[in-house]
Amino acid sequence: MRSHIMAVAVSMFILAPAAGAQTVTANDDGGVAFGFQLLSSFIGAEDRPANPPEGAVYVDEVAPGFQIWGGYAFSRAFLLRLSIANAAHATDDADVDVQVGSVMIEAVYHLATSQNLRPYLLGGLGGYTLRSSADRFDFESNGSAVDIGAGINYFVSRRVSFDLSARADFINWDRTKATVTLPDGGKVTLETPVDESGSAAKILFGVGVWF
């Protein structure tokens, strides 16, 4: 999936200049905008050793996922948006995967606005959630996060752009919750505060629509 995303992204940006001979004037007065992106998610994960401990599960560092976002462009240069992303990281146990999700409020600033090709910087605040399930055991960890990134919007029309970007996320995990489902259907939950930091990264490609 990661190679497919990047192949499509590169193809679009090679073909885009030929399709956009005229300069596109987009978002003259600002307005509502939303988008959809495919992504490759990168997380720090421990490699499986030659002799792993019994019962240990090791998570793949890279996984496909998606992001949706919506916001308001106050001008051609500045967009404030809410982004929601999720990726499913496989493990070496076929019955277990790890869902990594984030919800971020991001400020996007376009460095150039007069041409079709518009580079931008972004930064935001929000939260991360990591979830996994195995048989009757569910695990969840939550934390606040800061993200920074950069990208390029290529406007193929006044209202539609292709978007290629990269983003780094810095996470402060502050709570974990483990739930066990008992044979009689009851549940036992243990919630524990933690103070651990982590990081993640994403490469994203998709489409934006601007009104």
Side-chain angles (χ1 to χ4, degrees), residues 109-154:
Y109 182 76
H110 288 88
L111 302 175
T113 60
S114 60
Q115 301 296 323
N116 304 59
L117 194 64
R118 303 181 185 180
Y120 65 84
L121 301 175
L122 71 84
L125 301 170
Y128 254 75
T129 300
L130 184 151
R131 296 187 180 94
S132 65
S133 298
D135 295 327
R136 297 177 177 175
F137 178 77
D138 297 311
F139 175 82
E140 178 179 312
S141 185
N142 297 280
S144 56
V146 174
D147 71 357
I148 57 173
I152 298 173
N153 268 314
Y154 188 88

Side-chain angles (χ1 to χ4, degrees), residues 34-204:
F34 65 89
F36 175 82
Q37 297 165 300
L38 298 176
L39 64 84
S40 287
S41 170
F42 301 81
I43 61 172
E46 184 179 349
D47 294 333
R48 183 181 178 87
N51 298 299
E54 184 178 353
V57 176
Y58 293 87
V59 182
D60 290 353
E61 287 189 324
V62 184
F66 69 92
Q67 175 171 281
I68 57 174
W69 62 265
Y72 189 83
F74 292 89
S75 68
R76 281 204 233 175
F78 182 71
L79 167 72
L80 188 65
R81 72 185 190 184
L82 174 70
S83 68
I84 301 172
N86 189 77
H89 286 257
T91 71
D92 57 354
D93 185 331
D95 296 325
V96 179
D97 65 9
V98 176
Q99 299 287 333
V100 180
S102 64
V103 178
M104 307 294 294
I105 297 176
E106 298 171 322
V108 178
Y109 182 76
H110 288 88
L111 302 175
T113 60
S114 60
Q115 301 296 323
N116 304 59
L117 194 64
R118 303 181 185 180
Y120 65 84
L121 301 175
L122 71 84
L125 301 170
Y128 254 75
T129 300
L130 184 151
R131 296 187 180 94
S132 65
S133 298
D135 295 327
R136 297 177 177 175
F137 178 77
D138 297 311
F139 175 82
E140 178 179 312
S141 185
N142 297 280
S144 56
V146 174
D147 71 357
I148 57 173
I152 298 173
N153 268 314
Y154 188 88
F155 282 85
V156 295
S157 73
R158 185 177 183 277
R159 300 194 183 279
V160 178
S161 67
F162 292 119
D163 184 353
L164 177 64
S165 64
R167 160 181 148 185
D169 302 76
F170 304 94
I171 311 154
N172 178 33
W173 300 108
D174 53 29
R175 183 175 66 90
T176 62
K177 182 171 68 173
T179 302
V180 178
T181 302
L182 303 176
D184 62 1
K187 294 186 177 182
V188 176
T189 299
L190 177 63
E191 189 168 327
T192 306
V194 296
D195 185 11
E196 295 184 3
S197 59
S199 61
K202 295 179 175 66
I203 296 175
L204 309 99

